[in-house]
Amino acid sequence: MASPETPNVLYTAEFIDGPLEGQVDSRVLVHGAHDSRISMLAAVEGIEALFWYDEVDERDVQGRLHVRYRFDSGDSDPYLPTDDQD
């Protein structure tokens, strides 16, 4: 169990658009800092693709760093968004 003196080493990454829209991920702070750019490997309709996300903003949520990321379609593998509406 972490003591109150233990520094927080995790932060929450929220993906606000693109293929991972709405997902959150717990990530490790490196030397006390979060990543300004994240790569994520994900399967979209059974095909693996590499997606890049760039930091939009950061804030404190109940004592934990929370960083929002926006999809970088230019540097990411192509994917075709599916339309869930019939």
Side-chain angles (χ1 to χ4, degrees), residues 9-29:
V9 296
L10 297 177
Y11 73 97
T12 300
E14 177 188 359
F15 304 100
I16 60 173
D17 62 356
L20 303 179
E21 181 177 4
Q23 293 187 29
V24 295
D25 188 26
S26 288
R27 300 184 64 89
V28 175
L29 295 168

Side-chain angles (χ1 to χ4, degrees), residues 13-78:
E14 177 188 359
F15 304 100
I16 60 173
D17 62 356
L20 303 179
E21 181 177 4
Q23 293 187 29
V24 295
D25 188 26
S26 288
R27 300 184 64 89
V28 175
L29 295 168
V30 178
H31 302 291
H34 65 277
D35 297 312
S36 61
R37 185 167 168 85
I38 295 177
S39 64
M40 296 290 288
L41 184 64
V44 177
E45 296 187 8
I47 299 172
E48 286 187 350
L50 182 65
F51 301 123
W52 285 96
Y53 282 82
D54 297 315
E55 175 186 354
V56 174
D57 59 18
E58 65 178 79
R59 63 188 184 280
D60 183 277
V61 177
Q62 296 182 348
R64 184 170 174 168
L65 180 62
H66 187 102
V67 182
R68 294 186 323 147
Y69 291 91
R70 180 172 309 283
F71 181 57
D72 182 346
S73 61
D75 285 344
S76 298
D77 289 342

